[in-house]
Amino acid sequence: MKITKIIYPLIAATALLTGCKKEQKGPVSVEIWHAYNGTQQAYLEDAVKRFNESQSTYVVKTLAQDNSGFADLVYNAVANGVGPSIIFNYGSTAVDYAKEDLAVDISTYIKEDSAKGDTFMRDLIDSLPPSMQTDVKGFADGGIYYLPGCTTGPVFFYNKTMFDELGLTPPKDWKELENIGRTVFEKKGIAAFHSDGLVDNIQELIMQNGMGYIDTKNKKILFGTDKMAEIYQWYADCCHKGWFEFNTVGKYSSEDLANGTIAAFSGSCVNDQYVKMINGEELGIAPWIAESNGIAFYTAWNRGPIFLKHADDVNRGAYEFIKFFLSPENNLGWAKANSALSPYGTTQALSGYGEYINNLPSTSALPSVQANLYASGSFPNVHGGSQVRNIIVEYLNNVVDGKMSAKEAVAAMEKDCNAALND
């Protein structure tokens, strides 16, 4: 992402406010920019209110933004020195900020706290599963620029009425998914499957086929292989035969499943709130494919706060708010607000967390995510990593569209991915 030295109206207004604050005495101001709405926005604003009431050193403010263009707006604002201190996103997003020295390494504050006998943040991170600790600590320079807030992941949504009629069950591996595609198309004349999160599915195929992902030392991908060409060709063939649908017909996969355009899709667990089956058909929810070829790998998603650079006192204020926000009771509330799981053992130890998990509605997809967390893996947080994700899908698209052969696409993909890693 390129830095643009342009001050948008909102950024300019923020700069004026920031300038006024610097001339005033009082609590240090910390800004959170977000694109949440509904339950998530309400909970975030309530947590900010409670934090502000709990102390007088800092005052945290939230600024809601449109989701469209949010990433570019924030990046350019931060580059111009007038952006937020905190946004919520994935570790891969924090990489770009860290590379441009626009992110805050909170490991300094964690060490300072520990030296004073306050081990809360150290213990919090230590309570994460090993793969998620790698996600937090896996930045090239060893810094910590991001923390997970809650955990979601892909699950398998399907037309249970149709599956029962055809004697089908949710797939345990990719071959079973292919067979489901063949049967549904032959019997019903529609595509069986759409991937709502295609890059995550392809990343799983890469890892479950033992190819490895990125050689961080030499800054090159490890999956530019003949096996990757086979995966590209297999997926394209399934689309060409009508078994898989590459693009949605409506606006969302949930809409296509509900309307009977497709028989199933893999997508975020939060879709359990949005799939409304018509014609009296029953929705089925099952764990997504987590193992293949004897290799277990599942792409759980851990979205959370990224710390963006300001003056030292502002940076410390952002850190202190997140300490408050990720305390067990508050983190439990955030998980509930997001219809998600908590990744932290400190939160999971609460009796209230057990009650939350054990009393989920029968329509919740979270149990299907939890069933796969044993296989949860992560990818290195390196510069160019987010571009690699985009490039993977771009070249698969070229194969599906018939613009390139699978081998040509993999060769070009490897070249572009390596260039992104070395940019």
Side-chain angles (χ1 to χ4, degrees):
M1 185 177 296
K2 294 181 179 179
I3 299 172
T4 303
K5 294 294 183 179
I6 297 175
I7 307 297
Y8 294 88
L10 177 58
I11 299 175
T14 304
L16 290 173
L17 290 172
T18 303
C20 292
K21 290 170 189 172
K22 288 181 179 179
E23 296 174 4
Q24 297 173 352
K25 293 182 179 180
V28 175
S29 181
V30 176
E31 285 190 4
I32 301 171
W33 290 11
H34 68 88
Y36 292 118
N37 53 41
T39 305
Q40 294 100 326
Q41 181 175 4
Y43 187 82
L44 178 60
E45 291 176 350
D46 178 67
V48 165
K49 180 176 180 291
R50 289 185 287 109
F51 174 75
N52 289 339
E53 291 172 348
S54 73
Q55 48 75 55
S56 59
T57 305
Y58 309 102
V59 58
V60 177
K61 299 179 181 180
T62 62
L63 187 60
Q65 306 274 13
D66 288 335
N67 189 55
S68 177
F70 178 73
D72 287 341
L73 176 66
V74 171
Y75 199 87
N76 286 304
V78 173
N80 282 279
V82 294
S85 294
I86 298 169
I87 60 170
F88 288 79
N89 215 307
Y90 302 101
S92 57
T93 299
V95 172
D96 291 328
Y97 289 99
K99 182 177 184 292
E100 299 295 336
D101 195 30
L102 298 174
V104 180
D105 178 4
I106 64 166
S107 63
T108 300
Y109 301 131
I110 295 172
K111 291 174 183 175
E112 289 176 0
D113 282 357
S114 297
K116 297 174 184 177
D118 178 0
T119 63
F120 171 76
M121 289 293 273
R122 186 186 70 190
D123 296 342
L124 181 82
I125 294 171
D126 287 346
S127 77
L128 290 168
S131 65
M132 295 185 192
Q133 289 191 40
T134 300
D135 195 37
V136 168
K137 300 176 181 179
F139 291 83
D141 63 358
I144 297 176
Y145 300 95
Y146 136 96
L147 291 171
C150 57
T151 299
T152 57
V155 302
F156 187 70
F157 294 94
Y158 64 104
N159 185 325
K160 188 174 186 301
T161 302
M162 183 184 297
F163 271 52
D164 288 348
E165 176 191 340
L166 299 178
L168 299 172
T169 57
K172 300 295 184 184
D173 59 35
W174 302 93
K175 185 63 178 178
E176 288 186 12
L177 181 65
E178 178 186 326
N179 291 336
I180 289 169
R182 180 186 298 106
T183 299
V184 168
F185 186 75
E186 289 177 353
K187 301 296 184 181
K188 297 294 182 178
I190 63 172
F193 174 74
H194 176 260
S195 174
D196 186 4
L198 181 57
V199 65
D200 298 289
N201 290 167
I202 301 301
Q203 283 178 320
E204 285 182 335
L205 277 162
I206 289 168
M207 300 307 291
Q208 290 172 9
N209 278 278
M211 285 184 273
Y213 195 63
I214 293 175
D215 178 345
T216 56
K217 182 179 180 180
N218 295 304
K219 296 183 180 181
K220 64 179 183 179
I221 63 168
L222 299 171
F223 52 89
T225 64
D226 289 343
K227 187 63 182 180
M228 187 65 177
E230 290 178 20
I231 290 171
Y232 268 9
Q233 190 62 59
W234 170 77
Y235 204 96
D237 287 346
C238 287
C239 291
H240 296 157
K241 293 173 181 177
W243 303 346
F244 294 0
E245 180 62 61
F246 193 76
N247 299 303
T248 56
V249 175
K251 190 173 183 181
Y252 302 107
S253 301
S254 54
E255 179 183 292
D256 284 0
L257 175 60
N259 293 338
T261 305
I262 56 175
F265 74 92
S266 67
S268 172
C269 57
V270 301
N271 279 288
D272 60 10
Q273 305 169 59
Y274 304 114
V275 183
K276 307 297 181 184
M277 303 295 286
I278 62 175
N279 301 324
E281 295 174 319
E282 182 181 356
L283 172 66
I285 303 174
W288 176 235
I289 298 168
E291 293 190 40
S292 186
N293 303 306
I295 301 173
F297 190 93
Y298 175 71
T299 52
W301 302 318
N302 299 291
R303 186 184 181 93
I306 296 173
F307 301 86
L308 303 175
K309 186 169 287 188
H310 283 273
D312 289 343
D313 56 350
V314 179
N315 296 341
R316 182 78 198 207
Y319 170 78
E320 292 296 336
F321 171 72
I322 294 303
K323 281 178 66 175
F324 174 86
F325 191 69
L326 294 181
S327 64
E329 290 289 350
N330 288 332
N331 184 237
L332 171 56
W334 185 237
K336 290 180 178 178
N338 285 273
S339 299
L341 302 171
S342 169
Y344 295 103
T346 48
T347 300
Q348 295 167 11
L350 294 174
S351 60
Y353 187 78
E355 292 172 5
Y356 165 57
I357 295 300
N358 293 329
N359 291 286
L360 290 167
S362 59
T363 55
S364 173
L366 284 182
S368 293
V369 176
Q370 194 166 34
N372 279 345
L373 289 185
Y374 77 95
S376 177
S378 63
F379 299 102
N381 286 323
V382 295
H383 177 71
S386 58
Q387 290 93 324
V388 167
R389 286 172 52 87
N390 295 333
I391 292 165
I392 289 171
V393 173
E394 175 188 349
Y395 282 101
L396 174 55
N397 196 5
N398 286 338
V399 180
V400 173
D401 286 347
K403 296 177 180 178
M404 305 177 81
S405 71
K407 286 190 175 182
E408 289 171 342
V410 168
M413 177 208 66
E414 181 177 25
K415 180 180 178 180
D416 286 359
C417 284
N418 290 343
L421 295 170
N422 288 275
D423 180 19

